[in-house]
Amino acid sequence: MTTVAGIDVTHPDKVLLPAREGGEDVTKADLAQYWDSVATTVLKHLTGRPLTLQRFPDGLNAGGFVQQDAGKRAPKGLHTVDTPRRERKKDADDVVHHPEVEETADLIRLVQFGTVTLHGWNVVAGALERPDRLVVDIDPGERQDLAGIRDVARAVRDAVEGRGLVAFLQSTGSRGYHVVAPLDGSADQEAVREAAIEIAEAVAADDPDELTTEVRKDARGGRTFLDIGRNAYGQTAVMPYSPRARPGGPTATPLDWDELARVTPDQHDVRSIPRRLARKTDPWAGFAENARPLS
């Protein structure tokens, strides 16, 4: 056992994520130390936000599951956010007790719980019907190369900024990028969703042979999907700096726009991010200060 941020981490040598080529395995201790090292940067992006967890208690190779409610077996002391349950379930509470991160210890508690990836709502506690961000997820199709995907990200940025919003960029730690706009909370969920649809459809209309907003995969025809599905009550997007459930622990990484041409979607990982933040200011440091109303 090891202790990180005052939290005991049992079986610290258990491999949660196997190595990717040329790298190292990521153990529970590695993941706990990762979150501890980046917590000062990360907490402002997470505090108050209902989370959904992707858990792999016995490691990626043993399979995992998604968990919305913290449940009775949640680590002692873990903070939670209660959200009304929109769909009633037999013998279930009227609310979902979502995990929440308020302090470094919460991040370590989640590692002890076998959590690898944090997905969060586009709202915070106390304002569950008033989103504080709009997300366009660029999901690469079969035909478009990385250069093309980067051009799509720039086109989405232009469309977002055309509405008077400020566009921030994040690699997903997987295959694509997110373009995210901070909002001032004056618009409700439906208005934000409608704005996201308008943005995505405008971008797709400029290149219909390569881009689509079709939700059904079999209707996309290999085109890149502009996914706005994160913009609805209860929907989630991967959180900044969260590792993904992939070998080596690639992270969803906030980027400056001038990095887009040289940083691949899965380039940074739990080994490189602490070094990156030691030499570079968080590209999303001014995220909240750039919140704007929908126009």
Side-chain angles (χ1 to χ4, degrees):
M1 185 171 68
T2 189
T3 301
V4 180
I7 303 300
D8 291 336
V9 178
T10 59
H11 309 291
D13 295 330
K14 179 183 288 185
V15 174
L16 292 184
L17 299 170
R20 55 179 170 180
E21 187 175 355
E24 302 174 72
D25 292 339
V26 178
T27 65
K28 282 181 73 175
D30 291 332
L31 199 52
Q33 289 158 4
Y34 166 73
W35 281 123
D36 188 40
S37 69
V38 303
T40 301
T41 297
V42 167
L43 286 174
K44 61 179 172 288
H45 299 308
L46 297 178
T47 301
R49 202 168 297 280
L51 298 175
T52 294
L53 312 178
Q54 200 171 359
R55 293 181 55 206
F56 295 83
D58 294 312
L60 182 66
N61 290 339
F65 52 91
V66 173
Q67 182 169 341
Q68 295 187 46
D69 197 296
K72 296 179 180 179
R73 301 180 68 180
K76 183 178 179 181
L78 178 68
H79 288 86
T80 58
V81 172
D82 290 350
T83 67
R85 191 184 296 278
R86 291 280 178 92
E87 296 181 3
R88 296 299 303 272
K89 293 185 178 181
K90 186 178 180 181
D91 300 324
D93 292 345
D94 291 336
V95 298
V96 180
H97 309 287
H98 284 272
E100 187 226 346
V101 169
E102 288 192 6
E103 57 183 355
T104 304
D106 285 324
L107 291 164
I108 312 309
R109 290 178 180 115
L110 291 176
V111 173
Q112 173 60 13
F113 207 31
T115 303
V116 170
T117 305
L118 306 180
H119 299 271
W121 288 31
N122 65 347
V123 298
V124 294
L128 295 179
E129 300 291 346
R130 299 284 170 175
D132 67 348
R133 57 182 63 192
L134 180 154
V135 183
V136 179
D137 177 4
I138 301 165
D139 183 5
E142 300 163 5
R143 300 200 303 251
Q144 212 155 28
D145 61 13
L146 184 55
I149 297 302
R150 287 165 167 158
D151 285 340
V152 175
R154 296 182 185 99
V156 174
R157 174 193 61 191
D158 293 346
V160 167
E161 293 181 347
R163 296 187 67 105
L165 302 174
V166 180
F168 285 76
L169 177 67
Q170 176 175 269
S171 68
T172 63
S174 182
R175 298 176 58 240
Y177 298 94
H178 286 176
V179 178
V180 186
L183 304 175
D184 69 356
S186 60
D188 63 18
Q189 290 278 12
E190 185 58 29
V192 173
R193 180 174 175 79
E194 287 301 317
I197 290 171
E198 291 170 7
I199 288 167
E201 288 184 344
V203 174
D206 283 341
D207 191 1
D209 291 335
E210 295 294 344
L211 304 177
T212 183
T213 58
E214 288 283 356
V215 175
R216 287 175 40 241
K217 195 166 186 178
D218 62 1
R220 297 177 198 166
R223 292 172 293 176
T224 291
F225 176 41
L226 301 182
D227 183 2
I228 57 83
R230 284 78 172 83
N231 302 284
Y233 184 90
Q235 298 302 305
T236 64
V238 64
M239 289 287 93
Y241 297 105
S242 175
R244 303 306 301 268
R246 297 162 62 93
T251 58
T253 306
L255 301 173
D256 287 319
W257 280 101
D258 64 6
E259 295 182 286
L260 177 59
R262 61 181 185 273
V263 177
T264 62
D266 64 350
Q267 180 168 321
H268 286 293
D269 57 29
V270 295
R271 308 285 182 191
S272 67
I273 286 294
R275 298 193 299 269
R276 172 178 166 84
L277 291 176
R279 67 176 187 272
K280 177 181 175 61
T281 302
D282 174 24
W284 283 23
F287 189 91
E289 291 74 16
N290 279 282
R292 301 283 190 273
L294 280 180
S295 59

